[in-house]
Protein backbone atom coordinates (compact mmCIF):
# COMPACT_ATOMS: atom_id res chain seq x y z
CA UNK A 1 0.00 0.00 0.00
CA UNK A 2 1.25 3.46 -0.82
CA UNK A 3 2.38 5.42 2.23
CA UNK A 4 0.64 8.70 2.92
CA UNK A 5 2.78 11.80 2.69
CA UNK A 6 1.30 14.44 4.98
CA UNK A 7 1.99 18.13 5.49
CA UNK A 8 2.66 18.73 9.19
CA UNK A 9 2.27 22.26 10.58
CA UNK A 10 2.97 23.78 14.02
CA UNK A 11 1.61 27.06 15.36
CA UNK A 12 2.21 29.43 18.26
CA UNK A 13 4.42 28.10 21.04
CA UNK A 14 4.51 24.67 19.37
CA UNK A 15 6.55 26.10 16.53
CA UNK A 16 9.15 27.22 19.08
CA UNK A 17 9.14 23.87 20.90
CA UNK A 18 9.43 21.64 17.82
CA UNK A 19 11.70 24.04 15.93
CA UNK A 20 9.69 23.84 12.71
CA UNK A 21 6.70 25.58 11.20
CA UNK A 22 6.04 23.08 8.47
CA UNK A 23 7.52 19.79 7.29
CA UNK A 24 6.53 16.66 5.46
CA UNK A 25 6.00 13.33 7.17
CA UNK A 26 5.54 9.90 5.61
CA UNK A 27 4.11 6.59 6.74
CA UNK A 28 1.59 7.47 9.45
CA UNK A 29 -1.68 5.67 8.74
CA UNK A 30 -3.81 7.50 11.25
CA UNK A 31 -3.66 10.16 13.96
CA UNK A 32 -3.08 7.58 16.73
CA UNK A 33 0.08 6.41 14.95
CA UNK A 34 1.00 10.02 14.37
CA UNK A 35 0.63 10.83 18.10
CA UNK A 36 2.94 7.94 19.02
CA UNK A 37 5.56 9.27 16.61
CA UNK A 38 5.08 12.79 17.98
CA UNK A 39 5.57 11.69 21.60
CA UNK A 40 8.76 9.83 20.67
CA UNK A 41 10.12 12.70 18.61
CA UNK A 42 9.12 15.56 20.95
CA UNK A 43 8.62 14.16 24.48
CA UNK A 44 8.41 17.73 25.81
CA UNK A 45 5.02 18.07 24.04
CA UNK A 46 3.45 15.74 26.62
CA UNK A 47 3.45 18.65 29.06
CA UNK A 48 1.79 21.02 26.58
CA UNK A 49 -1.91 21.54 25.98
CA UNK A 50 -2.71 21.30 22.26
CA UNK A 51 -5.28 19.98 19.77
CA UNK A 52 -4.87 18.46 16.32
CA UNK A 53 -6.61 19.60 13.14
CA UNK A 54 -6.74 17.45 10.00
CA UNK A 55 -7.48 19.42 6.86
CA UNK A 56 -8.41 22.46 8.96
CA UNK A 57 -10.98 20.62 11.12
CA UNK A 58 -10.38 19.78 14.78
CA UNK A 59 -10.43 16.04 15.42
CA UNK A 60 -11.48 14.34 18.64
CA UNK A 61 -11.03 10.72 17.64
CA UNK A 62 -8.59 8.62 15.66
CA UNK A 63 -8.63 9.74 12.03
CA UNK A 64 -7.21 7.99 8.95
CA UNK A 65 -4.49 10.01 7.21
CA UNK A 66 -4.42 10.20 3.43
CA UNK A 67 -1.84 11.46 1.00
CA UNK A 68 -1.49 15.27 1.06
CA UNK A 69 -3.54 15.68 4.25
CA UNK A 70 -2.76 18.79 6.27
CA UNK A 71 -2.13 17.94 9.94
CA UNK A 72 -1.75 20.89 12.31
CA UNK A 73 -0.80 21.11 15.98
CA UNK A 74 -2.66 23.98 17.64
CA UNK A 75 -1.99 25.34 21.14
CA UNK A 76 -4.86 27.10 22.99
CA UNK A 77 -6.19 29.99 20.90
CA UNK A 78 -5.54 33.53 22.08
CA UNK A 79 -6.92 35.85 19.42
CA UNK A 80 -8.70 39.11 20.08
CA UNK B 1 -18.06 23.00 0.59
CA UNK B 2 -20.42 25.91 0.41
CA UNK B 3 -20.31 28.19 -2.59
CA UNK B 4 -20.02 31.42 -0.63
CA UNK B 5 -16.81 33.28 -1.25
CA UNK B 6 -14.55 33.07 1.83
CA UNK B 7 -14.00 36.59 3.16
CA UNK B 8 -10.64 37.68 4.48
CA UNK B 9 -10.70 39.12 8.01
CA UNK B 10 -6.98 39.68 8.50
CA UNK B 11 -5.28 43.07 8.49
CA UNK B 12 -1.51 43.51 8.74
CA UNK B 13 -0.71 45.44 11.93
CA UNK B 14 -3.09 47.62 13.93
CA UNK B 15 -6.61 48.48 12.72
CA UNK B 16 -6.67 52.23 12.11
CA UNK B 17 -9.38 54.59 13.36
CA UNK B 18 -9.64 55.74 9.74
CA UNK B 19 -10.64 52.21 8.65
CA UNK B 20 -13.26 52.10 11.42
CA UNK B 21 -14.63 55.54 10.48
CA UNK B 22 -14.80 54.62 6.79
CA UNK B 23 -16.60 51.40 7.65
CA UNK B 24 -19.24 53.31 9.63
CA UNK B 25 -19.57 55.92 6.85
CA UNK B 26 -20.10 53.26 4.17
CA UNK B 27 -23.38 52.23 5.86
CA UNK B 28 -25.08 55.62 5.47
CA UNK B 29 -26.65 54.48 2.20
CA UNK B 30 -28.26 51.45 3.89
CA UNK B 31 -31.23 53.31 5.28
CA UNK B 32 -33.10 50.27 6.56
CA UNK B 33 -30.50 50.02 9.36
CA UNK B 34 -31.60 51.43 12.73
CA UNK B 35 -28.74 50.30 14.97
CA UNK B 36 -25.07 49.42 14.78
CA UNK B 37 -23.05 47.62 17.41
CA UNK B 38 -19.26 47.84 17.42
CA UNK B 39 -16.69 46.01 19.49
CA UNK B 40 -13.08 47.17 19.44
CA UNK B 41 -10.41 45.00 21.02
CA UNK B 42 -7.40 47.00 22.17
CA UNK B 43 -3.98 45.67 23.17
CA UNK B 44 -3.76 46.14 26.92
CA UNK B 45 -0.57 47.25 28.61
CA UNK B 46 -0.71 44.37 31.08
CA UNK B 47 1.82 44.39 33.87
CA UNK B 48 2.87 40.78 34.33
CA UNK B 49 5.33 39.21 36.72
CA UNK B 50 7.76 38.93 33.81
CA UNK B 51 7.36 42.60 32.81
CA UNK B 52 5.08 45.12 31.11
CA UNK B 53 3.41 44.21 27.79
CA UNK B 54 4.30 46.75 25.11
CA UNK B 55 3.09 44.88 22.03
CA UNK B 56 1.32 41.70 20.90
CA UNK B 57 2.47 39.82 17.84
CA UNK B 58 -0.39 37.86 16.26
CA UNK B 59 -0.05 34.76 14.10
CA UNK B 60 -2.82 32.55 12.75
CA UNK B 61 -3.58 29.36 10.88
CA UNK B 62 -5.10 31.62 8.24
CA UNK B 63 -6.84 29.05 6.02
CA UNK B 64 -8.50 27.33 8.98
CA UNK B 65 -9.42 30.63 10.64
CA UNK B 66 -11.14 31.90 7.49
CA UNK B 67 -13.06 28.65 6.99
CA UNK B 68 -14.16 28.68 10.63
CA UNK B 69 -15.10 32.37 10.45
CA UNK B 70 -17.31 31.59 7.46
CA UNK B 71 -19.19 29.00 9.54
CA UNK B 72 -19.54 31.42 12.48
CA UNK B 73 -20.71 34.14 10.10
CA UNK B 74 -23.42 31.89 8.65
CA UNK B 75 -24.51 30.71 12.13
CA UNK B 76 -24.86 34.26 13.40
CA UNK B 77 -26.64 35.48 10.26
CA UNK B 78 -29.16 32.64 10.58
CA UNK B 79 -29.75 33.38 14.28
CA UNK B 80 -30.23 37.17 14.15
CA UNK B 81 -31.95 39.45 11.61
CA UNK B 82 -28.83 41.36 10.58
CA UNK B 83 -28.31 43.71 7.65
CA UNK B 84 -24.52 43.65 7.89
CA UNK B 85 -21.60 42.00 9.65
CA UNK B 86 -17.93 42.96 9.41
CA UNK B 87 -15.00 41.37 11.23
CA UNK B 88 -11.33 42.39 11.13
CA UNK B 89 -8.45 40.95 13.15
CA UNK B 90 -4.81 42.01 13.17
CA UNK B 91 -1.85 39.87 12.20
CA UNK B 92 1.72 40.80 13.06
CA UNK B 93 2.69 43.41 15.60
CA UNK B 94 0.19 45.67 17.38
CA UNK B 95 1.34 48.11 20.08
CA UNK B 96 -0.36 48.54 23.45
CA UNK B 97 -3.21 51.03 23.00
CA UNK B 98 -3.83 50.08 19.36
CA UNK B 99 -6.85 48.20 18.00
CA UNK B 100 -6.45 44.51 17.10
CA UNK B 101 -10.08 43.37 16.68
CA UNK B 102 -13.00 45.18 15.04
CA UNK B 103 -16.45 43.58 15.01
CA UNK B 104 -19.33 45.54 13.48
CA UNK B 105 -22.97 44.39 13.21
CA UNK B 106 -25.98 46.28 11.92
CA UNK B 107 -29.71 45.62 12.09
CA UNK B 108 -33.10 47.34 11.88
CA UNK B 109 -33.20 47.44 15.68
CA UNK B 110 -30.56 47.60 18.40
CA UNK B 111 -31.12 44.26 20.18
CA UNK B 112 -30.09 41.88 17.39
CA UNK B 113 -27.10 44.09 16.50
CA UNK B 114 -25.87 44.12 20.12
CA UNK B 115 -26.48 40.40 20.77
CA UNK B 116 -24.91 39.30 17.48
CA UNK B 117 -21.86 41.48 18.08
CA UNK B 118 -21.34 40.02 21.58
CA UNK B 119 -21.74 36.46 20.32
CA UNK B 120 -19.29 37.04 17.48
CA UNK B 121 -16.62 38.40 19.82
CA UNK B 122 -16.91 35.38 22.12
CA UNK B 123 -16.80 32.90 19.25
CA UNK B 124 -13.86 34.67 17.57
CA UNK B 125 -11.83 34.50 20.76
CA UNK B 126 -12.72 30.86 21.48
CA UNK B 127 -12.84 29.27 18.05
CA UNK B 128 -10.43 30.99 15.66
CA UNK B 129 -6.89 29.56 15.50
CA UNK B 130 -5.10 32.83 16.26
CA UNK B 131 -2.26 33.25 18.75
CA UNK B 132 -0.91 36.35 20.48
CA UNK B 133 2.66 36.56 21.69
CA UNK B 134 3.08 39.26 24.30
CA UNK B 135 6.27 41.25 23.80
CA UNK B 136 7.52 42.71 27.07
CA UNK B 137 9.47 45.92 27.62
CA UNK B 138 12.50 43.95 28.74
CA UNK B 139 12.48 42.23 25.31
CA UNK B 140 11.25 38.95 26.77
CA UNK B 141 8.04 37.46 25.46
CA UNK B 142 5.35 35.05 26.50
CA UNK B 143 2.32 33.47 24.87
CA UNK B 144 -0.98 35.13 25.64
CA UNK B 145 -3.80 33.08 27.19
CA UNK B 146 -7.48 33.89 26.68
CA UNK B 147 -9.71 33.72 29.75
Amino acid sequence: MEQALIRLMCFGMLEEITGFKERQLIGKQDTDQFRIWLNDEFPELQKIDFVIAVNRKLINQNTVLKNEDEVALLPPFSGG
Amino acid sequence: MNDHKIKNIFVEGAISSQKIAESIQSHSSKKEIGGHSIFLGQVREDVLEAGKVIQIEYTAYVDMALEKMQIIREDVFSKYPLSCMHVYHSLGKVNAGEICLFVFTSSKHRKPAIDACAELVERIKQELPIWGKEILENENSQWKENN
Side-chain angles (χ1 to χ4, degrees):
Chain A
M1 197 181 98
E2 196 186 339
Q3 292 198 316
L5 178 66
I6 61 166
R7 183 176 168 200
L8 175 58
M9 306 161 92
C10 290
F11 291 91
M13 68 169 71
L14 296 177
E15 186 184 336
E16 292 176 355
I17 292 167
T18 62
F20 70 89
K21 181 165 186 57
E22 189 173 332
R23 57 169 281 185
Q24 291 188 314
L25 184 67
I26 196 160
K28 305 292 170 270
Q29 286 177 2
D30 53 41
T31 50
D32 280 355
Q33 264 196 15
F34 167 72
R35 280 178 197 272
I36 292 168
W37 171 84
L38 196 65
N39 283 340
D40 285 346
E41 198 80 1
F42 303 102
E44 60 274 35
L45 287 185
Q46 290 174 39
K47 291 175 283 183
I48 309 288
D49 186 18
F50 68 92
V51 291
I52 294 178
V54 175
N55 296 330
R56 302 168 300 286
K57 301 271 191 304
L58 297 181
I59 59 152
N60 48 25
Q61 57 188 15
N62 188 28
T63 301
V64 172
L65 295 174
K66 305 177 304 296
N67 214 24
E68 296 184 7
D69 275 353
E70 200 172 289
V71 177
L73 309 184
L74 312 178
F77 305 157
S78 56
Chain B
M1 292 294 283
N2 61 53
D3 50 3
H4 292 124
K5 187 170 177 290
I6 298 237
K7 277 193 180 176
N8 188 26
I9 62 166
F10 291 110
V11 173
E12 192 59 36
I15 298 164
S16 69
S17 48
Q18 187 189 351
K19 183 178 180 70
I20 296 162
E22 283 170 2
S23 189
I24 297 168
Q25 180 61 40
S26 71
H27 291 74
S28 61
S29 59
K30 300 188 175 178
K31 294 180 183 167
E32 78 283 7
I33 292 172
H36 300 297
S37 187
I38 288 176
F39 176 83
L40 299 174
Q42 171 167 306
V43 172
R44 184 173 51 240
E45 190 184 68
D46 258 341
V47 181
L48 309 168
E49 250 175 63
K52 189 159 80 178
V53 175
I54 56 166
Q55 191 177 58
I56 293 181
E57 183 172 15
Y58 289 100
T59 52
Y61 185 3
V62 170
D63 290 347
M64 180 175 166
L66 296 182
E67 285 183 18
K68 187 75 201 181
M69 189 63 228
Q70 191 73 9
I71 292 167
I72 295 172
R73 202 184 283 279
E74 285 168 13
D75 284 353
V76 172
F77 260 125
S78 66
K79 190 167 166 187
Y80 301 96
L82 296 179
S83 309
C84 271
M85 177 195 303
H86 302 279
V87 173
Y88 298 98
H89 196 295
S90 292
L91 281 184
K93 292 173 177 170
V94 182
N95 293 323
E98 292 183 323
I99 301 299
C100 56
L101 173 62
F102 173 29
V103 179
F104 185 7
T105 51
S106 312
S107 185
K108 270 188 173 170
H109 303 284
R110 68 187 182 286
K111 194 90 171 50
I114 292 168
D115 292 348
C117 185
E119 186 167 326
L120 279 166
V121 172
E122 294 308 311
R123 292 195 64 179
I124 287 163
K125 290 179 82 90
Q126 283 168 20
E127 298 177 39
L128 295 192
I130 300 173
W131 298 275
K133 187 182 193 177
E134 295 169 324
I135 313 293
L136 309 178
E137 62 183 345
N138 55 19
E139 293 180 355
N140 288 334
S141 63
Q142 66 175 43
W143 290 93
K144 179 174 176 267
E145 287 174 26
N146 275 0
N147 301 313

